[in-house]
Amino acid sequence: MESEIRNRFTDTEMQIARETDLPELLSHLGYQVKRVGRFHTTAEMDSLRIKDRRTWFRYSQNTGGDAITFLQQFCGKSFPEAVEYLLTFHGKARDAPAPQPKSISQKQALSLPPRNADDRRVFAYLRKRGIAAQVIRQFLNAGLLYEDAVHHNCVFVGKNSAGQAKYGDVIALCFV
């Protein structure tokens, strides 16, 4: 079964996924990457070492691998999901449907995800990423940030000058 899944991807696609620049990927995922001598590490996982920008090893758990195994271990993705994510990260998404032109005359109403009863997970996530508690509270109180009730993601809301929500951006949380 696993060989069938691996065979769904071409050798070129697997090479692209495996050769992902880990410091760049981890920064994209919200980690604070720093260079320590010849290695890279993160502020969130100080036992993690990234060697030659392509492989990682976490000494506290005695595990390691490439970008695919990192996404599997720390973001809970399956093998195909991890490879698809990395291909999309490199702008090489496969099976992407051709974008359909939207009719200009028909405006869609803004549909934001439902709000969670509390925002504690989003608050903790953003604090862990180094954002000051006062700044987070101001965004929460202004209604510019909240926690999605279904997936517990960060939802950033953009409002117009009249205070009406005009757009939203959902940021998926990837906890360590």
Side-chain angles (χ1 to χ4, degrees), residues 3-175:
S3 63
E4 290 176 22
I5 291 172
R6 290 180 193 272
N7 289 337
R8 289 190 347 195
F9 300 104
T10 66
D11 291 339
T12 304
E13 289 172 330
M14 290 303 298
Q15 183 177 1
I16 290 168
R18 285 200 172 98
E19 292 182 358
T20 298
D21 186 83
L22 281 168
E24 184 180 329
L25 175 66
L26 270 60
S27 293
H28 175 77
L29 291 172
Y31 292 93
Q32 295 176 2
V33 179
K34 56 186 176 180
R35 187 170 180 92
V36 179
R38 296 183 312 180
F39 303 100
H40 287 83
T41 188
T42 65
E44 296 82 8
M45 295 182 284
D46 60 351
S47 70
L48 179 78
R49 294 290 181 263
I50 299 170
K51 183 181 176 185
D52 69 22
R53 303 185 72 90
R54 303 286 184 257
T55 58
W56 63 274
F57 190 82
R58 189 164 188 196
Y59 289 92
S60 64
Q61 296 179 348
N62 202 26
T63 59
D66 56 12
I68 298 168
T69 56
F70 184 88
L71 290 175
Q72 288 177 294
Q73 183 127 17
F74 296 104
C75 295
K77 296 190 181 298
S78 66
F79 180 84
E81 290 171 335
V83 174
E84 290 286 347
Y85 182 90
L86 293 170
L87 290 173
T88 303
F89 177 72
H90 288 289
K92 310 247 186 240
R94 46 192 316 228
D95 300 331
Q100 299 294 326
K102 294 183 180 180
S103 63
I104 298 172
S105 62
Q106 193 178 29
K107 266 194 166 178
Q108 288 183 321
L110 178 65
S111 175
L112 293 172
R115 186 178 188 134
N116 196 26
D118 63 35
D119 299 305
R120 63 184 176 78
R121 289 183 184 177
V122 165
F123 189 87
Y125 175 79
L126 294 173
R127 282 293 297 141
K128 191 174 185 181
R129 296 298 182 255
I131 299 174
Q134 181 181 8
V135 172
I136 299 168
R137 280 192 204 97
Q138 286 178 341
F139 273 82
L140 290 169
N141 293 338
L144 299 174
L145 169 68
Y146 68 91
E147 183 177 322
D148 173 13
V150 179
H151 302 290
H152 303 286
N153 294 324
C154 294
V155 179
F156 292 93
V157 181
K159 296 184 177 184
N160 64 7
S161 58
Q164 298 171 323
K166 288 297 180 183
Y167 62 89
D169 193 13
V170 179
I171 307 297
L173 306 183
C174 182
F175 286 101

